[in-house]
Amino acid sequence: MSAPQAGTPSYIGRRMPRAEDTRLLTGRGVFVDDIALPGMLHVAFARSPIARGRIRSIDTSAARELPGVHAVLTARDLARFNIDLISFFLVSPSIRIPPLAEDRVLYVGDPVAMIIAQDRYLAEDAAGLVTVDYEEEDPVVTIADARRGSLVHAGSESNVAAASGAEEPDEDLEALLTSAPCLVRHTIRHQRIAQSPMETRGVVVAAHGESELTVYISCQSPQMAARYLSMAFGIPQTGIRVISKDVGGSFGLKVQPWREEIAVVAAGRLLARPLKWIEDRHENLSASNLAREQEIALRIAFDEAGSILGSHVDYDLNNGAYPHGPDSNLAAMMFFWAAHRMPAFGFRARGWYTNTPGLGAYRGPWAIESLARETALDIAARRLGIDPIELRRRNLITKADQPLTTPLGIRLEDITPAECLDLLLQKVDVPAFRAEQAAARAEGRYLGLGITTYIEPTAGSAGISVLSTDVAQLRIEPTGKVSAVLSTHSQGHGTQTTMAQVIAERLGVAFEDVTVYEDDSSRGGFGAGASGSRQAVAGGGASIKAADLLVDKVRRIAAHLLGADPAHVRIQSGRIHVDGAGEKTCSLRELAEIAYGEPERLPAGMEAGLEAQYRYRPPPVTFTSAAHACIVEVDPDTGFVKIRRWVCSEDCGVMINPAVVEGQIAGGVAQAIGTVLLEEAGFDARGNPIAVTYKDYLLPAISDVPDFEYVHASTPSQAEGGFRGVGEGGCIIGPPTLVNAIADALSPFGELAPLELPLTPARILEVIEKRPLSGASPASSPQAGQPSPPSVPHSPPPPVEKPTGTRPTIDGLWKMVLATPMGLQQFTARLAANADLLTGTLQSEMGSQDFTGTIEGNALRWDLKVSKPMPLTLKYDVRIEGDRLTGKVKMGLFGTAKLTGERVPE
Amino acid sequence: MSQHNIQVTVNGRLHTATVEGRLTLSDFLRVEAGYTGVHIGCEHGVCGACTVIVDGQAVRSCLMLAVQADGSSITTVEGLTAPDGTLHPVQQALRDEHALQCGFCTPGVVMTLAALTSGASKPAARTLLDALSGHVCRCTGYQGIRRAAIKLAGEPGAKK
């Protein structure tokens, strides 16, 4: 019954023109700044000009007196809402994140006051009249600063925002690495990147009384935004209508409403007037959450034949002051060697708080794993004298090796990087290129070829509660037309087109007769929208399942009305046919009119109407694989890189719309070109942003991006429909492909080591001319003449809690909540004390597990071995106070999570 | 702030307004005249999203003041489509070539190509591509935009 409707034109796999394009090409799209409401006022922020300091006083009187200004609000005015921002995973971080700065500012651009005025011009005038008296302190700007400097967040134990991996070196791994026949070391300093959607952030809010809001916002998911606002303001989600019709790109920036948007919503409730805030580009480049600033030191040990023996990664990520979620980039470590045979791997990863804008998501947040691995493999190939393609073949996991579970617990069943590489090499004649390269070198021209492979986890749902399910609500209306309300959301993804293709094919109706709605949170149900390359898999799967429910109902109704066997009923181009009985036919419209309007004609007991809903849970993870090749020419006189060719061989499963797939790949690769050659959101030693316009923050133009060529492998996935995600891949595999091509071109001169991005012409000339030309970048290296290290001392470590003399009551049932970085996990445990011995049983979704531990006063400690998502020992360290319990759980490589709990009355 | 009376023809309709001297043409077109297809991406003349046609020339409306447009005739992206909804050849080419994703930069790209292809003889592909280097698109990697430009050029097939 679930097979596509035979005889209907197939829409899946076709380059359908997009349903979105007509309105966008004619100026009739609706972006947040296109919304105007009666009585609407405009918001501008007064922001900190210093990276770090205490606010002594704020004088808003001059701003308030400016004609046209309605209000000037500071943190004090918003205090009644008691807002503390939470992460994308809806977890509270250990630091407080207020919408407006309270007593301290933590980065240049930290919002201190908001001005509400008649128009935007007046609001900005008034913002300039807010006078703040600061007691300035030396900022912590770089990762190096964070290591040695004063605490960014007073009261925290250190500047470490998040940590994973092993703190202490593994002696066996160290011995293996140091004694290996070939040990390759590779260091990368990655600049900060501004996601740079062409539409900045923005919000329009209209409060209706105390418990209802309408919010227009540029976001990645109206559903997610509504859920987030509901939690921030304690209003039922049903009372919050989030509308986001067209969004001008996001790339991770708009994954959740953040400080400014939340402040505007709070102010809208406070003033009971519609408010609008549209971020300007200066704010966007200097004060919104940015991404990627990181350092990595990678070691790989090889035997003489080029087989990998082991590897270790030391990794640091600048989290800024207020990250969207404290992050040590565990995903990068998990997937670093997932597609390779890797006998021994260890890592230490840390995220650091600094006095810079917070860390935000950016397309493929874990992309450093591909950049570091693939560039290091090419260095190794040169060192070992093995062809880089051959080196990859010797270490990649192939189809024949699967299924298997990697040492880090990742289940691989159908990854195809080696097969993508084979397909790539059918398009790229490597021997011919090597001959051309040699001839060019003889003429003093430097050509280079970079070839890379990768796998990408898409539509990950396991263990991440906000990403676990998506919903499709389908309705064949009484007219016979189909409307679909989905929890997908497009910021350029074209899901109004691709989801309609899936639904039309599945239902057996014309593409033009399916309209997809995903712009209004009040229409549908929760789903996370765009995030983690998930929409084809999660939204497509939900659409298929809901369509199949409808097809089933249509068949049963048609069989009843026409006197046929449901198995013989077909829907073709919006008409009902019965196999072998040509006279038995009716239109979908006639059937729908009966289904809604004449329920007495339906089979006995059947619910009226033609509506179906399905909430789909995709597989835990769906892998996409790819291999890319890039050919460049580097001008040895100017250091300028010309990209001559770029070939993308990728396997994103069944393609719904190849034009959309190629658009996603191309956009990602173009962003990769920007990352490698152009873009840098840097800071000076005082934490001042130094690229705050597009004259300083250089984005790729049409002249920087070549024509891309594509090869599609299309191995169906195990998800419904066989789809795989494709949104982020180009931005992940693109950077190492281009770096490898440049490094290959420059190999006669030496290695690009350490690799420091972006590879500006000056940096490339350093390799060619073997002398420093660019100077160290201010954000990544200490400089002479810098202020002395910050003088604010570390806060003293919290006193070690001594076990109290009287033992509290331990025995009984406890409800516990573990705040993991991926979301809250709830479970219960029955505890029993026997002298200093603790016994217990933990009951969770995964089942029941017994444990024993120790008791010292009110301190309880126990270990629990789990097998999912990977073999791991969880170390519980808990204090009981009366009927409450608090503590920490060390989760091996996953870092430490906070545990809270309370006694369940029995 | 100084106030100025201006008369501007936008998409064939005469608009009269009293504007502050500092009001940008882009804000005038969006807020006063209601043409929200004019998109503001950077407000400093780099991204090109706000491009409109002023007296035949493609102009960045964020870098021009409304008072400077007094007496001029302006076309925005809303003014290109035929009354029956038929797309302008530039819009059609961009649609056929999947040249947009989020669509935010699109009106500016449309207006530059429309301004350059409005004459009797079509410009060379090189001319169009050079002009497009003043437009930032963060979504598409310019693949479809380049194909559309080459299609619209006077010498099809000639590229780079």
Side-chain angles (χ1 to χ4, degrees), chain A residues 18 121 125 679 700 707, chain B residues 22 27 95 101 138 142 159:
Chain A
R18 298 198 322 164
Y121 288 67
D125 288 345
E679 301 176 30
D707 290 336
Chain B
R22 64 177 177 173
D27 282 343
R95 176 169 162 76
Q101 287 179 24
R138 189 60 155 166
Y142 306 101
K159 53 184 271 192

Side-chain angles (χ1 to χ4, degrees), chain A residues 567-570 577-582:
Chain A
H568 297 154
V569 174
R570 266 181 308 119
H577 300 277
V578 177
D579 286 337

Side-chain angles (χ1 to χ4, degrees), chain A residues 122-209:
Chain A
L122 287 169
E124 290 189 12
D125 288 345
L129 296 175
V130 173
T131 311
V132 184
D133 184 16
Y134 295 103
E135 184 180 315
E136 190 173 358
E137 297 165 7
D138 290 327
V140 167
V141 180
T142 64
I143 291 167
D145 290 349
R147 280 202 186 92
R148 65 166 191 266
S150 53
L151 288 175
V152 171
H153 294 284
S156 52
E157 287 174 24
S158 74
N159 281 330
V160 174
S164 53
E167 275 303 311
E168 300 302 322
D170 175 333
E171 286 175 14
D172 294 341
L173 179 61
E174 288 302 316
L176 184 156
L177 294 175
T178 48
S179 66
C182 175
L183 179 65
V184 170
R185 293 170 185 274
H186 186 39
T187 303
I188 300 175
R189 285 196 290 272
H190 196 303
Q191 81 277 40
R192 197 176 294 213
I193 293 290
Q195 300 90 337
S196 287
M198 294 322 296
E199 180 202 34
T200 55
R201 294 183 297 159
V203 61
V204 173
V205 59
H208 319 291

